[in-house]
Amino acid sequence: MSEQSPSSSDAHPGTSSERSGTRRPDHVPAAIGVLGGGRMGAGIAHAFLLAGSRVAVVERDAASADAALQRIRESIRRSVARDPALNEVEITGRLTTGRDIAAFAVVDLVIEAVPEDRELKEQALARAEAAMPADATLASNTSSISIDDLAASRRRPERFLGLHFFNPVPASALVEIVRGAATDTAIVENAAGWVSSLGKTPIVVTDSPGFASSRLGVMLGLEAIRMLEEGVASAVDIDAAMTLGYRHPMGPLRTTDVVGLDVRLGIAEELERTLGERFAPPDLLRRMVAEGKLGRKSGEGFYAWNEER
């Protein structure tokens, strides 16, 4: 693992996690591992680094690890630019990135943040659990896959739970803590303390398909896509109905662009499998994903994002 630095592109200025600077809050783990350094994994690493933890990010290959490193470095630079009190060198010194899973041998917490694919997550969790200490906590950042299903293959299901961060991690104030049937109560309480120490608000939900947030958010997003597909209104007007009429900070179609149409499709398919036809993805969503129109990350979705990627 090579020492490097992070930062997240959408962090709000002056958040409590950024103000924590270089001092580790009492409830933040001293050392954590993040398996997967994409947008979500990099954002999670950014949050814990700013709160004072040592962070090891592990990726599948050298090229992916380098991309994760650059992603996190840029985030840190943006945070430091907003708050000169932050010490970039010190923060950078607490980050390692690489592909060696042995980096998890000395951590207190590992968060799996690989793409929303059941088989991929099972493989990632097994790798992490084999490398981490027996008394460390293992968490999945899944947004829809059952924690109890994932726990069935775990060596220590009592130390396993869901930590569902939201995209973009630095700007989001919420983390959904998902308690499995076997999760120890003390682990849930610890997790709530960690989340609070990041400057975010924890909510605790019992394991259920889609938990609370994805189940509600995806249902609203899918109905908005159906309305667009049926010609009920334009994307702009559908979103305005929710932002102006219901005071949502962002409309469901713009939110889908930010989340990623492919991510939303994957969650919808998982919820259709577990909860039934009401979560069946609209044809428009499947077609746009097949065409590579994934939202902000591809530059085009329901909106054009060429200047905001």
Side-chain angles (χ1 to χ4, degrees):
M1 307 287 287
S2 59
E3 276 191 309
Q4 299 298 347
S5 99
S7 153
S8 204
S9 59
D10 297 282
H12 284 182
T15 62
S16 57
S17 61
E18 290 196 8
R19 287 196 299 269
S20 66
T22 59
R23 187 175 66 84
R24 181 167 63 86
D26 292 341
H27 291 96
V28 174
I32 78 158
V34 179
L35 187 54
R39 185 175 177 82
M40 290 303 298
I44 293 168
H46 172 267
F48 277 94
L49 282 163
L50 290 185
S53 297
R54 299 190 308 278
V55 178
V57 178
V58 173
E59 262 288 2
R60 62 184 181 276
D61 53 44
S64 298
D66 185 63
L69 171 60
Q70 300 309 319
R71 196 174 288 122
I72 299 170
R73 273 181 170 170
E74 179 58 27
S75 296
I76 290 295
R77 291 192 188 107
R78 293 185 184 185
S79 293
V80 171
R82 282 189 295 268
D83 184 359
L86 292 173
N87 186 327
E88 182 176 358
V89 173
E90 191 272 338
I91 294 171
T92 300
R94 287 188 275 101
L95 172 67
T96 60
T97 62
R99 55 181 180 173
D100 187 358
I101 200 74
F104 292 167
V106 291
V107 301
D108 307 299
L109 165 69
V110 172
I111 301 174
E112 167 271 306
V114 303
E116 194 73 356
D117 177 273
R118 182 183 295 268
E119 184 177 349
L120 187 61
K121 285 188 180 291
E122 286 280 10
Q123 293 170 355
L125 290 166
R127 288 183 66 214
E129 196 170 38
M132 59 194 283
D135 60 351
T137 297
L138 178 62
S140 173
N141 185 53
T142 180
S143 53
S144 63
I145 300 172
S146 167
I147 292 299
D148 284 339
D149 285 356
L150 294 175
S153 303
R154 305 281 66 79
R155 298 178 180 181
R156 296 174 287 276
E158 72 280 2
R159 304 195 69 83
F160 176 64
L161 78 169
L163 282 180
H164 178 204
F165 288 79
F166 289 77
N167 183 20
V169 175
S172 175
L174 178 69
V175 177
E176 192 172 36
I177 299 172
V178 187
R179 176 205 292 264
T183 309
D184 191 281
T185 298
I187 298 298
V188 175
E189 293 172 350
N190 287 344
W194 302 333
V195 171
S196 296
S197 294
L198 296 177
K200 302 183 185 299
T201 299
I203 62 170
V204 179
V205 301
T206 301
D207 183 44
S208 177
F211 317 133
S213 59
S214 293
R215 190 165 170 175
L216 290 170
V218 168
M219 179 58 78
L220 178 60
L222 294 180
E223 189 59 28
I225 296 169
R226 291 189 189 98
M227 290 170 64
L228 183 65
E229 189 174 48
E230 295 165 7
V232 173
S234 68
V236 171
D237 287 347
I238 291 170
D239 279 353
M242 301 310 297
T243 58
L244 301 179
Y246 287 84
R247 298 189 178 185
H248 288 198
M250 187 182 296
L253 295 173
R254 185 172 287 272
T255 299
T256 299
D257 270 7
V258 171
V259 170
L261 276 71
D262 54 335
V263 174
R264 182 137 283 183
L265 174 60
I267 295 171
E269 289 175 334
E270 175 70 17
L271 293 180
E272 180 187 22
R273 187 185 70 80
T274 54
L275 294 176
E277 188 178 351
R278 68 186 188 272
F279 284 98
D283 290 340
L284 176 59
L285 177 59
R286 293 188 184 280
R287 187 165 64 250
M288 291 179 70
V289 170
E291 293 171 354
K293 297 176 181 178
L294 307 182
R296 180 168 63 180
K297 61 188 172 185
S298 70
E300 183 181 3
F302 298 108
Y303 295 87
W305 295 85
N306 294 331
E307 297 180 359
E308 301 184 49
R309 290 173 68 183

